[in-house]
Amino acid sequence: MKTPNQRKKRVYSEADMSPVSPLAKKQLAVLGFGSQGHAHALNLKDSGHNVIIGLYPGSKSIQVAESKGFTVLPVESAVCQADVIFVALPDTKQARVFVENILPHLTKGKTLLFSHGFSIHFKTIIPPKGVNIVMVAPKGPGHVVRSQYVEGKGVPSLIAVYQGGTKAKNIALGWAHGIGATRAGVLETSFKEETETDLFGEQTVLCGGLSSLVMAGFETLVEAGYSPEMAYFECLHEVKLIADLMNESGIAGMRFSISETAKWGDVSVGPKIINAGVKKRMAVALKNIQSGKFARDWIKEYNGGYKRYDALLARDAGHLIEKTGARLRGLMPWMKKRAIKGAQASY
Ligand code: NDP
Ligand code: MG
């Protein structure tokens, strides 16, 4: 493995935070109340900050946010009232909402905050001068940002400043502190680095890579005549147990807990499955991200009405692994039941 020389990144923790938050006395607005939006809003409120929510008329989340004690306003009014505005909207929708509902009310000195650099890095949003542009990107799904905070823990996060210098950076740090991220560690990065690594991770390892790996394993066993229930436990259910061990103590820590036979299979067979060919295709995916091709294709898909996106999701939703899993998870009453359709509404 090639390892270019790199400086160690500074990590901010609770000890680096001043007792008076840079967000004290500021009005904060969260636009959207989905995965990230609900988590940031609730954590910041519980950390003692003033948070309002901006949503579009008819949003299914208005009632949910109000039931959690928030004042919910149209996006324009929330932007007018707030000093710091978190754009917690889907990446593809941010550009239109920015031009129509945010920009006209974005006066100098306000701060626009993102939790992913897509719109700024790929320039679907061109921010005006005099407005701070920052990022606080938790390295975890929104519901985990919330549940970890409630448990007194936090999700490690990245901060970045695109515009606004030290003042803007302090606001980002204050926000990261307010959502509980400094409990776990906050790294400073750039919009470019966050965007490219985040897209790469979710496409090739965390979401795309893992889903495809799990389904390929499941299909191989079922096609060889083994029962779908066996294949489900082997290739999906146990993923969490292994991933938890890796998360706690790395690959070596995971290997400490598994049998010698499993370890031998791991080191001798694993690299033949996920081999140099996979790394080559990963490099292609990374190139497509860096060149902006992935972003252009994704925006085209959105503009075309999400036809292929919906079809691919529907194909996988009908996979035997989902039906098998629903039945088996039903036997485990402690498994969290989540309404997948309209999931945001149940936050
Ligand atoms: P979601 O799709 O979960 O939620 C989007 C929210 O925006 C919903 O509440 C939706 O309303 C609302 N919304 C949609 N259109 C408008 C509009 N025109 N005006 C106001 N509100 C609107 O988004 P995510 O939380 O997944 O993504 C938000 C950002 O966070 C993205 O930049 C993403 O990349 C980033 N991110 C997400 C992570 C995650 O865990 N999901 C992880 C890290 C970063 P309604 O409820 O009615 O649908
Ligand atoms: Mg992402």
Side-chain angles (χ1 to χ4, degrees), residues 51-204:
V51 188
I52 50 174
I53 307 298
L55 280 166
Y56 62 94
S59 163
K60 62 180 184 299
S61 300
I62 294 176
Q63 208 207 332
V64 185
E66 283 177 348
S67 74
K68 308 273 182 200
F70 291 105
T71 300
V72 181
L73 301 169
V75 169
E76 297 82 352
S77 316
V79 175
C80 280
Q81 290 189 19
D83 305 298
V84 187
I85 302 137
F86 172 27
V87 186
L89 311 171
D91 297 304
T92 44
K93 292 192 179 150
Q94 291 180 4
R96 189 180 53 76
V97 177
F98 175 75
V99 170
E100 290 177 9
N101 313 107
I102 300 176
L103 185 59
H105 314 283
L106 200 57
T107 47
K108 277 193 175 165
K110 293 199 185 218
T111 300
L112 213 52
L113 186 144
F114 295 85
S115 59
H116 178 40
F118 191 96
S119 302
I120 294 291
H121 177 62
F122 293 118
K123 300 197 186 309
T124 63
I125 288 180
I126 309 285
K129 293 220 163 66
V131 170
N132 301 320
I133 304 290
V134 300
M135 183 200 305
V136 178
K139 289 284 94 188
H143 80 269
V144 180
V145 173
R146 179 58 184 161
S147 61
Q148 291 281 93
Y149 179 92
V150 172
E151 287 173 30
K153 305 174 193 161
V155 169
S157 300
L158 309 175
I159 57 159
V161 176
Y162 184 79
Q163 242 173 240
T166 312
K167 219 170 143 196
K169 178 173 160 182
N170 284 334
I171 291 173
L173 273 173
W175 190 284
H177 186 217
I179 64 167
T182 41
R183 294 171 181 171
V186 172
L187 295 181
E188 190 174 359
T189 181
S190 63
F191 271 65
K192 175 179 157 53
E193 188 181 43
E194 184 279 337
T195 305
E196 293 176 353
T197 54
D198 184 80
L199 292 174
F200 176 80
E202 68 199 16
Q203 288 173 23
T204 65

